Protein backbone atom coordinates (compact mmCIF):
# COMPACT_ATOMS: atom_id res chain seq x y z
CA UNK A 1 0.00 0.00 0.00
CA UNK A 2 1.56 3.29 -1.00
CA UNK A 3 2.02 5.78 1.70
CA UNK A 4 0.40 9.05 1.40
CA UNK A 5 2.72 11.96 0.92
CA UNK A 6 2.40 15.52 1.86
CA UNK A 7 1.56 17.60 -1.17
CA UNK A 8 1.52 20.85 0.61
CA UNK A 9 -2.15 20.82 1.32
CA UNK A 10 -1.91 17.88 3.62
CA UNK A 11 -1.17 14.23 3.01
CA UNK A 12 -2.32 12.96 -0.37
CA UNK A 13 -5.12 10.43 -0.42
CA UNK A 14 -4.28 6.87 -1.31
CA UNK A 15 -4.30 6.36 -5.04
CA UNK A 16 -7.01 3.86 -5.93
CA UNK A 17 -5.17 2.80 -9.05
CA UNK A 18 -2.05 2.08 -7.07
CA UNK A 19 -4.00 0.30 -4.41
CA UNK A 20 -5.39 -2.17 -6.90
CA UNK A 21 -2.21 -2.52 -8.89
CA UNK A 22 -0.35 -5.69 -8.22
CA UNK A 23 -3.30 -7.73 -7.10
CA UNK A 24 -2.91 -11.29 -8.35
CA UNK A 25 -6.24 -11.26 -10.14
CA UNK A 26 -5.26 -14.22 -12.32
CA UNK A 27 -4.63 -16.31 -9.28
CA UNK A 28 -7.65 -15.02 -7.44
CA UNK A 29 -10.03 -15.81 -10.28
CA UNK A 30 -8.24 -18.55 -12.16
CA UNK A 31 -7.06 -20.47 -9.12
CA UNK A 32 -10.45 -21.74 -7.97
CA UNK A 33 -11.57 -22.38 -11.54
CA UNK A 34 -8.49 -24.41 -12.30
CA UNK A 35 -8.89 -26.30 -9.05
CA UNK A 36 -12.50 -27.11 -9.96
CA UNK A 37 -11.47 -28.21 -13.44
CA UNK A 38 -8.77 -30.46 -12.00
CA UNK A 39 -11.25 -31.90 -9.53
CA UNK A 40 -13.73 -32.62 -12.32
CA UNK A 41 -11.00 -34.18 -14.41
CA UNK A 42 -9.93 -36.37 -11.53
CA UNK A 43 -13.48 -37.44 -10.78
CA UNK A 44 -14.13 -38.19 -14.45
CA UNK A 45 -10.98 -40.29 -14.62
CA UNK A 46 -12.01 -42.16 -11.50
CA UNK A 47 -15.43 -42.76 -12.99
CA UNK A 48 -13.99 -44.05 -16.25
CA UNK A 49 -11.58 -46.31 -14.43
CA UNK A 50 -14.44 -47.59 -12.31
CA UNK A 51 -16.59 -48.34 -15.34
CA UNK A 52 -13.82 -50.00 -17.28
CA UNK A 53 -12.55 -52.07 -14.37
CA UNK A 54 -15.96 -53.07 -13.03
CA UNK A 55 -18.24 -53.36 -16.03
CA UNK A 56 -15.76 -54.54 -18.63
CA UNK A 57 -13.08 -57.14 -18.94
CA UNK A 58 -10.03 -56.57 -21.03
CA UNK A 59 -8.80 -58.95 -23.62
CA UNK A 60 -5.31 -58.05 -24.58
CA UNK A 61 -4.03 -60.29 -27.34
CA UNK A 62 -0.84 -58.34 -27.80
CA UNK A 63 -2.11 -56.24 -30.68
CA UNK A 64 -5.31 -54.58 -29.66
CA UNK A 65 -6.77 -54.23 -26.23
CA UNK A 66 -10.46 -54.80 -26.33
CA UNK A 67 -13.13 -54.44 -23.71
CA UNK A 68 -15.91 -56.92 -23.29
CA UNK A 69 -18.89 -56.18 -21.06
CA UNK A 70 -19.21 -58.11 -17.85
CA UNK A 71 -22.40 -60.07 -18.09
CA UNK A 72 -24.52 -61.01 -15.15
CA UNK A 73 -27.23 -63.61 -15.14
CA UNK A 74 -30.77 -62.83 -14.16
CA UNK A 75 -33.63 -65.20 -13.68
CA UNK A 76 -36.86 -64.24 -15.37
CA UNK A 77 -40.09 -65.67 -14.09
CA UNK A 78 -43.11 -65.05 -16.24
CA UNK A 79 -46.64 -66.11 -15.39
CA UNK A 80 -48.34 -67.85 -18.24
CA UNK A 81 -52.06 -68.54 -18.39
CA UNK A 82 -52.85 -71.93 -19.84
CA UNK A 83 -56.51 -72.63 -20.58
CA UNK A 84 -57.56 -76.11 -19.73
CA UNK A 85 -60.88 -77.80 -19.75
CA UNK A 86 -63.16 -75.62 -17.69
CA UNK A 87 -60.42 -73.58 -16.03
CA UNK A 88 -57.25 -71.68 -16.52
CA UNK A 89 -53.95 -72.70 -15.05
CA UNK A 90 -51.26 -70.24 -14.16
CA UNK A 91 -47.77 -71.45 -14.59
CA UNK A 92 -44.53 -69.65 -14.00
CA UNK A 93 -42.10 -70.15 -16.80
CA UNK A 94 -38.59 -69.42 -15.76
CA UNK A 95 -35.81 -68.51 -18.08
CA UNK A 96 -32.37 -67.04 -17.70
CA UNK A 97 -31.05 -63.99 -19.46
CA UNK A 98 -27.70 -62.37 -19.46
CA UNK A 99 -27.53 -58.65 -18.92
CA UNK A 100 -24.49 -56.39 -19.11
CA UNK A 101 -23.71 -55.19 -15.62
CA UNK A 102 -23.33 -51.68 -16.98
CA UNK A 103 -27.08 -51.50 -17.46
CA UNK A 104 -27.95 -52.03 -13.81
CA UNK A 105 -24.99 -50.72 -11.84
CA UNK A 106 -25.44 -47.21 -10.39
CA UNK A 107 -23.24 -44.56 -11.88
CA UNK A 108 -21.45 -41.96 -9.86
CA UNK A 109 -21.59 -38.77 -11.89
CA UNK A 110 -20.37 -36.38 -9.24
CA UNK A 111 -18.85 -33.17 -10.52
CA UNK A 112 -18.27 -29.60 -9.53
CA UNK A 113 -21.19 -27.82 -11.13
CA UNK A 114 -20.75 -24.30 -9.82
CA UNK A 115 -17.87 -22.13 -8.69
CA UNK A 116 -18.54 -18.66 -7.38
CA UNK A 117 -15.61 -16.37 -6.79
CA UNK A 118 -16.30 -13.17 -4.94
CA UNK A 119 -13.57 -10.68 -4.32
CA UNK A 120 -14.39 -7.54 -2.48
CA UNK A 121 -11.72 -5.01 -1.72
CA UNK A 122 -12.24 -1.72 -0.07
CA UNK A 123 -9.60 0.94 0.23
CA UNK A 124 -10.34 3.89 2.41
CA UNK A 125 -8.26 6.91 3.01
CA UNK A 126 -9.35 10.05 4.68
CA UNK A 127 -7.58 13.19 5.64
CA UNK A 128 -8.93 15.89 7.82
CA UNK A 129 -7.23 18.78 9.44
CA UNK A 130 -8.68 21.03 11.99
CA UNK A 131 -6.86 24.07 13.13
CA UNK A 132 -8.14 26.21 15.83
CA UNK A 133 -6.26 29.24 16.85
CA UNK A 134 -7.82 31.05 19.64
CA UNK A 135 -6.18 34.18 20.73
CA UNK A 136 -7.55 35.90 23.68
CA UNK A 137 -5.68 38.47 25.54
CA UNK A 138 -6.52 38.72 29.08
CA UNK A 139 -4.46 40.26 31.73
CA UNK A 140 -5.51 41.11 35.07
CA UNK A 141 -4.16 44.05 36.83
CA UNK A 142 -5.69 45.83 39.62
CA UNK A 143 -4.93 49.25 40.80
CA UNK A 144 -6.72 51.89 42.72
CA UNK A 145 -6.02 55.32 43.82
CA UNK A 146 -7.80 57.99 45.75
CA UNK A 147 -7.07 61.52 46.63
CA UNK A 148 -8.69 64.35 48.39
CA UNK A 149 -7.99 68.00 47.86
CA UNK A 150 -9.46 71.38 47.95
CA UNK A 151 -10.30 73.34 44.92
CA UNK A 152 -11.20 76.69 46.12
CA UNK A 153 -13.83 76.46 48.69
CA UNK A 154 -14.74 72.91 47.57
CA UNK A 155 -13.28 69.74 48.83
CA UNK A 156 -12.87 67.11 46.08
CA UNK A 157 -12.30 63.42 46.43
CA UNK A 158 -11.05 61.35 43.43
CA UNK A 159 -10.86 57.58 43.46
CA UNK A 160 -10.40 54.96 40.66
CA UNK A 161 -9.36 51.43 39.83
CA UNK A 162 -7.77 49.66 36.78
CA UNK A 163 -8.27 45.99 35.81
CA UNK A 164 -6.83 44.06 32.84
CA UNK A 165 -6.93 40.28 32.03
CA UNK A 166 -4.95 38.55 29.26
CA UNK A 167 -4.61 34.83 28.13
CA UNK A 168 -3.56 32.98 24.90
CA UNK A 169 -4.61 29.52 23.67
CA UNK A 170 -4.37 27.65 20.36
CA UNK A 171 -5.17 24.13 19.15
CA UNK A 172 -4.27 22.25 15.95
CA UNK A 173 -5.81 18.86 15.19
CA UNK A 174 -4.78 16.79 12.16
CA UNK A 175 -6.28 13.41 11.38
CA UNK A 176 -5.21 11.04 8.63
CA UNK A 177 -6.73 7.60 8.41
CA UNK A 178 -6.47 4.83 5.87
CA UNK A 179 -7.79 1.32 6.00
CA UNK A 180 -7.91 -1.69 3.74
CA UNK A 181 -10.53 -4.35 3.75
CA UNK A 182 -10.45 -7.39 1.52
CA UNK A 183 -12.82 -10.31 1.37
CA UNK A 184 -12.24 -13.31 -0.81
CA UNK A 185 -15.00 -15.86 -0.95
CA UNK A 186 -14.93 -19.00 -3.02
CA UNK A 187 -18.03 -21.14 -3.07
CA UNK A 188 -17.77 -24.50 -4.74
CA UNK A 189 -20.71 -26.82 -5.13
CA UNK A 190 -20.52 -30.34 -6.38
CA UNK A 191 -23.48 -32.46 -7.25
CA UNK A 192 -24.68 -35.25 -9.38
CA UNK A 193 -24.78 -34.37 -13.02
CA UNK A 194 -26.77 -36.04 -15.70
CA UNK A 195 -25.39 -39.22 -17.16
CA UNK A 196 -23.20 -38.36 -20.11
CA UNK A 197 -25.06 -38.89 -23.39
CA UNK A 198 -22.49 -41.39 -24.60
CA UNK A 199 -22.92 -43.56 -21.54
CA UNK A 200 -26.67 -43.22 -21.88
CA UNK A 201 -26.57 -44.43 -25.47
CA UNK A 202 -24.37 -47.34 -24.47
CA UNK A 203 -26.66 -48.33 -21.63
CA UNK A 204 -29.72 -48.03 -23.85
CA UNK A 205 -28.13 -50.18 -26.50
CA UNK A 206 -27.33 -52.87 -23.95
CA UNK A 207 -30.82 -52.58 -22.47
CA UNK A 208 -32.47 -52.92 -25.85
CA UNK A 209 -30.47 -56.03 -26.49
CA UNK A 210 -32.35 -57.90 -23.80
CA UNK A 211 -35.76 -57.08 -25.25
CA UNK A 212 -37.46 -59.97 -27.00
CA UNK A 213 -37.37 -59.92 -30.73
CA UNK A 214 -40.07 -61.13 -33.01
CA UNK A 215 -38.99 -63.96 -35.23
CA UNK A 216 -40.78 -64.59 -38.50
CA UNK A 217 -43.21 -67.46 -38.44
CA UNK A 218 -41.87 -70.68 -39.83
CA UNK A 219 -43.59 -71.94 -42.89
CA UNK A 220 -45.23 -75.31 -42.64
CA UNK A 221 -43.45 -77.99 -44.61
CA UNK B 1 -27.28 -41.16 -8.80
CA UNK B 2 -28.96 -44.10 -10.46
CA UNK B 3 -29.78 -46.07 -7.35
CA UNK B 4 -32.88 -47.30 -9.14
CA UNK B 5 -32.17 -48.84 -12.48
CA UNK B 6 -34.84 -49.25 -15.09
CA UNK B 7 -34.75 -52.15 -17.45
CA UNK B 8 -37.11 -52.83 -20.33
CA UNK B 9 -39.06 -55.92 -19.61
CA UNK B 10 -37.36 -58.86 -21.31
CA UNK B 11 -40.71 -60.61 -21.67
CA UNK B 12 -43.18 -58.10 -22.98
CA UNK B 13 -40.91 -55.19 -23.89
CA UNK B 14 -43.74 -52.83 -23.06
CA UNK B 15 -43.18 -52.28 -19.41
CA UNK B 16 -40.16 -51.04 -17.52
CA UNK B 17 -38.89 -52.87 -14.50
CA UNK B 18 -37.50 -50.64 -11.78
CA UNK B 19 -34.68 -52.36 -9.96
CA UNK B 20 -33.00 -51.36 -6.73
CA UNK B 21 -29.63 -52.91 -7.34
CA UNK B 22 -28.63 -53.32 -3.72
CA UNK B 23 -31.79 -55.25 -3.02
CA UNK B 24 -30.92 -57.64 -5.82
CA UNK B 25 -28.10 -58.86 -3.60
CA UNK B 26 -30.61 -59.95 -0.98
CA UNK B 27 -32.54 -62.01 -3.47
CA UNK B 28 -35.33 -59.54 -4.06
CA UNK B 29 -37.34 -59.83 -7.26
CA UNK B 30 -38.72 -56.94 -9.24
CA UNK B 31 -41.78 -57.19 -11.41
CA UNK B 32 -42.86 -55.64 -14.64
CA UNK B 33 -45.99 -53.53 -14.11
CA UNK B 34 -47.32 -54.60 -17.49
CA UNK B 35 -46.99 -58.39 -17.54
CA UNK B 36 -45.95 -59.27 -13.96
CA UNK B 37 -42.76 -60.86 -15.13
CA UNK B 38 -40.27 -60.96 -12.30
CA UNK B 39 -36.54 -60.69 -12.56
CA UNK B 40 -34.04 -61.55 -9.91
CA UNK B 41 -30.34 -62.04 -9.73
CA UNK B 42 -28.96 -65.53 -9.87
CA UNK B 43 -26.75 -66.74 -7.10
CA UNK B 44 -23.76 -66.94 -9.43
CA UNK B 45 -23.91 -63.26 -10.31
CA UNK B 46 -24.37 -61.87 -6.82
CA UNK B 47 -20.64 -61.74 -6.01
CA UNK B 48 -20.01 -59.91 -9.29
CA UNK B 49 -22.63 -57.26 -8.57
CA UNK B 50 -21.57 -57.03 -4.94
CA UNK B 51 -17.99 -56.37 -5.97
CA UNK B 52 -19.17 -53.69 -8.39
CA UNK B 53 -21.17 -51.95 -5.70
CA UNK B 54 -18.28 -52.24 -3.28
CA UNK B 55 -16.01 -50.51 -5.76
CA UNK B 56 -18.66 -47.87 -6.29
CA UNK B 57 -18.82 -47.20 -2.57
CA UNK B 58 -15.06 -46.85 -2.42
CA UNK B 59 -15.18 -44.41 -5.34
CA UNK B 60 -17.84 -42.37 -3.59
CA UNK B 61 -15.81 -42.31 -0.42
CA UNK B 62 -12.76 -41.10 -2.27
CA UNK B 63 -14.47 -38.23 -4.06
CA UNK B 64 -16.47 -37.26 -1.00
Amino acid sequence: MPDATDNGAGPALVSMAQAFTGLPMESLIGGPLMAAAKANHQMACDQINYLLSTCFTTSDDGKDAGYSPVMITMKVSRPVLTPTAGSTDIQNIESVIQVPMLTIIPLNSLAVDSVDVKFHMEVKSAFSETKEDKSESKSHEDGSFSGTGWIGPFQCTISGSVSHDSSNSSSDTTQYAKSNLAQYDVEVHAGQIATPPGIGVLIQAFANAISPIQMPAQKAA
Amino acid sequence: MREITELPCPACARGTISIVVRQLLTGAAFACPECATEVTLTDDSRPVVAEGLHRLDRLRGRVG
Side-chain angles (χ1 to χ4, degrees):
Chain A
M1 178 64 61
D3 291 333
T5 56
D6 195 339
N7 59 2
L13 297 180
V14 173
S15 168
M16 291 296 128
Q18 289 183 356
F20 285 91
T21 300
L23 281 176
M25 296 305 290
E26 291 183 359
S27 298
L28 292 174
I29 298 174
L33 296 180
M34 288 301 296
K38 286 182 180 177
N40 275 347
H41 176 261
Q42 184 61 45
M43 285 188 282
C45 288
D46 287 345
Q47 177 66 17
I48 291 173
N49 290 334
Y50 164 73
L51 282 179
L52 292 179
S53 64
T54 304
C55 300
F56 292 90
T57 56
T58 56
S59 57
D60 192 354
D61 57 359
K63 295 179 180 178
D64 298 321
Y67 289 93
S68 300
V70 173
M71 306 298 286
I72 58 174
T73 307
M74 301 191 79
K75 190 164 58 180
V76 180
S77 176
R78 183 178 191 182
V80 176
L81 299 177
T82 306
T84 58
S87 64
T88 302
D89 291 339
I90 300 177
Q91 291 181 324
N92 280 331
I93 297 179
E94 292 190 348
S95 57
V96 172
I97 61 171
Q98 284 197 321
V99 179
M101 193 164 69
L102 178 63
T103 59
I104 68 163
I105 206 79
L107 292 180
N108 186 42
S109 299
L110 187 66
V112 175
D113 55 7
S114 72
V115 178
D116 292 332
V117 180
K118 295 178 183 176
F119 179 65
H120 176 77
M121 182 174 173
E122 184 178 278
V123 178
K124 283 183 179 177
S125 67
F127 171 72
S128 68
E129 183 174 18
T130 303
K131 284 186 177 179
E132 183 179 350
D133 289 330
K134 188 184 293 182
S135 178
E136 184 179 347
S137 179
K138 194 176 186 181
S139 62
H140 184 77
E141 295 174 4
D142 288 331
S144 65
F145 61 93
S146 64
T148 304
W150 290 89
I151 301 176
F154 304 102
Q155 184 181 15
C156 297
T157 301
I158 298 174
S159 63
S161 64
V162 176
S163 174
H164 177 69
D165 292 332
S166 177
S167 66
N168 288 320
S169 67
S170 66
S171 66
D172 186 0
T173 304
T174 302
Q175 289 182 336
Y176 178 71
K178 58 181 180 180
S179 66
N180 294 332
L181 174 66
Q183 287 182 321
Y184 184 54
D185 296 331
V186 179
E187 292 184 5
V188 179
H189 179 265
Q192 291 290 332
I193 60 174
T195 304
I199 297 293
V201 169
L202 193 59
I203 292 173
Q204 190 62 43
F206 282 141
N208 291 339
I210 66 173
S211 299
I213 59 175
Q214 185 73 38
M215 299 297 290
Q218 292 182 350
K219 294 180 180 178
Chain B
M1 187 165 298
R2 287 193 321 141
E3 285 291 352
I4 297 178
T5 303
E6 293 185 340
L7 274 185
C9 177
C12 68
R14 296 192 310 270
T16 300
I17 304 176
S18 298
I19 297 175
V20 181
V21 183
R22 294 184 190 275
Q23 292 183 8
L24 279 178
L25 300 178
T26 64
F30 298 89
C32 170
E34 294 284 340
C35 65
T37 296
E38 288 186 343
V39 295
T40 185
L41 196 63
T42 60
D43 294 339
D44 296 341
S45 294
R46 285 183 193 173
V48 181
V49 177
E51 174 63 20
L53 292 177
H54 178 63
R55 290 184 183 181
L56 177 67
D57 291 337
R58 277 193 306 181
L59 176 65
R60 286 181 184 171
R62 201 162 57 241
V63 300

